[in-house]
Amino acid sequence: MEPKTSPDLMPSWIPVNGHALRHAGIHFDAVRIIGLLGEQVAYEVMQFTDFRAGPIIRSSIGERSMYFLLPPGSARAYRWPVGAEALVREGAAFVGVPALNGLTYPLDWRSQPTAQVPFVDTELLFELLNGVVEAEKCDVP
């Protein structure tokens, strides 16, 4: 029997409706990956985790970025490749976080956090991102 998912088990930083800005590095670190690279990495993470990837937010405006939410304090331990930006507590790095349901445009969840997987695995994201970047280098003539 699977445990029931209760709203009480959802992180307090997720708004009840709409969306809200959250300062990176407090409740989570984030890695922003822009455009098709972000889409490909999200796909790879989802496939690898059997669609239990943890929180991935998709922005549908501008550069159409993916935000991978990681445990606070974990992103700075890695040297992220070009195309990925670590958003941590230093500076004014904010991430738009959508509600789990309802109208949240221009943000939505590519993968929602769960009580069992509250964050994307930082090491896994780093490895898969580097794999995608390397594969793209090999495809360029």
Side-chain angles (χ1 to χ4, degrees):
M1 172 190 265
E2 281 193 357
K4 292 184 179 181
T5 302
S6 163
D8 297 333
L9 297 177
M10 283 295 113
S12 61
W13 45 264
I14 297 177
V16 174
N17 53 45
H19 46 78
L21 289 177
R22 301 292 187 232
H23 193 239
I26 296 177
H27 300 290
F28 54 79
D29 282 357
V31 172
R32 178 176 67 169
I33 306 175
I34 298 169
L36 292 176
L37 177 60
E39 289 284 345
Q40 182 63 38
V41 172
Y43 174 80
E44 296 292 332
V45 172
M46 296 287 289
Q47 288 288 318
F48 192 88
T49 61
D50 198 26
F51 297 90
R52 292 182 204 79
I56 304 172
I57 299 169
R58 175 176 33 208
S59 173
S60 298
I61 59 171
E63 298 173 303
R64 300 183 183 266
S65 301
M66 290 284 187
Y67 294 84
F68 299 81
L69 305 187
L70 314 174
S74 65
R76 72 181 70 237
Y78 295 86
R79 186 174 177 151
W80 300 94
V82 173
E85 178 185 10
L87 304 172
V88 296
R89 190 170 177 129
E90 287 86 30
F94 288 87
V95 176
V97 177
L100 295 175
N101 300 299
L103 183 61
T104 62
Y105 182 83
L107 304 171
D108 68 343
W109 290 100
R110 178 71 171 89
S111 174
Q112 293 184 353
T114 64
Q116 295 80 20
V117 188
F119 299 107
V120 173
D121 182 284
T122 309
E123 184 177 351
L124 175 65
L125 174 63
F126 183 75
E127 289 176 14
L128 292 175
L129 168 60
N130 280 305
V132 171
V133 168
E134 287 301 315
E136 286 182 358
K137 285 180 186 176
C138 293
D139 290 342
V140 176

